[in-house]
Amino acid sequence: KNWEADIEHMESLIDENTGAILINNPSNPCGSNYTKAHLRAILAVCERHRVPLISDEIYADMVFSGQTFTSTAWLTATVPILTLGGLAKQWLVPGWRIGWILIHDRANAFEQVRQGLVALSTIINGPCALVQAAIPKIFAEVPDTYLPELNRQLESNARILETEINNIPGLNVITPQGAMYVMVKIDLAAFDGITSDADFCHKLKWEESVEILPGECFSYPGTVRLVITPPHDVLRAASARIAAFCQRHRK
């Protein structure tokens, strides 16, 4: 279901200790993009249990052809939502982090939360001053063509990786819908001496100098995550190294 949440299971986990439901859409590491219908189903759970939503939308609008991004705040007038955003991903400044929290709260359910956020903002002084100064120009002067072109480039990169990695026996790419990543399933039974996705990543790094993340980092063992932002030639070179590694360890 393109990484959709199990709504029934999600609802079963809610109890008196539940403070909020957290989603990340579009997703790191999955590269997924939830439909309006799925977002509405999540909001319905929030509504039934009077639980607020924290919507991490750091990859907002970073979706591929045939996909449409929808912010959860557009879909409800009753569920209180904290929407998280920032510059790091969409504007490609991953090391100079600066972000924001948008409060959607027509019933003032977040009165104390708002006070806490304001208090935190007075004691956390981490953002780089250069990036802070750039925000007005980024919002006012970046051309409308920028984001569609970025998404086309990222999708092109993703399709290259998908083609190259799917040609390697024992690996299977889960087609991404957006963001900056692809997830790859590993058939551990196809390889000799590879005991887990973490072991796969560790040995790949030392043998081929290619660094990827194991799915265990995201509580999804048996997979690995690849970043799609490098240039085409680097992606092809990395794919060739992964293919050579898999060939050496194939049963």
Side-chain angles (χ1 to χ4, degrees):
K1 292 186 176 181
N2 292 319
W3 302 104
E4 288 186 351
D6 184 331
I7 298 297
E8 183 177 346
H9 182 242
M10 176 192 293
E11 194 160 15
S12 74
L13 297 175
I14 297 174
D15 60 23
E16 67 277 3
N17 297 314
T18 302
I21 291 175
L22 169 65
I23 63 171
N24 171 222
N25 184 61
S27 171
N28 171 16
C30 307
S32 60
N33 176 52
Y34 289 162
T35 63
K36 283 185 180 181
H38 190 58
L39 291 171
R40 286 194 175 103
I42 294 172
L43 288 166
V45 173
C46 296
E47 186 82 56
R48 283 194 294 273
H49 295 272
R50 301 182 64 81
V51 173
L53 182 70
I54 302 173
S55 188
D56 181 353
E57 298 177 8
I58 189 67
Y59 298 96
D61 296 310
M62 298 180 69
V63 294
F64 301 157
S65 55
Q67 296 291 317
T68 301
F69 167 73
T70 302
S71 177
T72 53
W74 302 345
L75 301 178
T76 179
T78 54
V79 176
I81 298 174
L82 298 179
T83 301
L84 314 184
L87 295 183
K89 308 304 181 182
Q90 192 175 123
W91 284 277
L92 305 180
V93 282
W96 296 16
R97 295 182 181 275
I98 187 167
W100 47 80
I101 300 174
L102 305 180
I103 301 174
H104 307 276
D105 181 25
R106 302 187 186 189
N108 204 29
F110 280 146
E111 180 180 6
Q112 293 183 345
V113 172
R114 187 189 299 266
Q115 293 172 6
L117 291 174
V118 171
L120 281 174
S121 70
T122 66
I123 62 174
I124 298 177
N125 297 307
C128 172
L130 293 176
V131 179
Q132 290 185 67
I135 288 178
K137 285 197 173 185
I138 288 173
F139 286 166
E141 299 181 18
V142 171
D144 293 340
T145 56
Y146 166 74
L147 186 57
E149 179 55 36
L150 172 63
N151 288 344
R152 281 192 291 272
Q153 184 65 60
L154 290 172
E155 182 171 13
S156 173
N157 291 6
R159 300 309 172 226
I160 286 173
L161 265 183
E162 186 173 12
T163 299
E164 297 288 335
I165 298 300
N166 276 341
N167 284 330
I168 303 173
L171 302 184
N172 181 39
V173 173
I174 304 171
T175 300
Q177 299 170 311
M180 294 179 165
Y181 314 97
V182 298
M183 289 290 279
V184 181
K185 292 182 179 179
I186 306 173
D187 179 9
L188 293 173
F191 301 104
D192 186 33
I194 303 294
T195 59
S196 67
D197 52 281
D199 188 38
F200 183 98
C201 293
H202 177 77
K203 290 175 178 174
L204 176 66
K205 178 179 179 179
W206 286 104
E207 293 181 28
E208 293 290 346
S209 298
V210 174
E211 186 164 10
I212 59 180
L213 279 182
E216 289 181 8
C217 293
F218 310 102
S219 299
Y220 196 59
T223 63
V224 293
R225 190 201 74 171
L226 281 67
V227 177
I228 64 174
T229 51
H232 290 182
D233 60 334
V234 175
L235 293 174
R236 289 193 172 95
S239 298
R241 293 188 184 194
I242 295 172
F245 171 83
C246 290
Q247 180 60 37
R248 280 197 306 276
H249 289 275
R250 187 163 296 115
K251 287 182 178 178

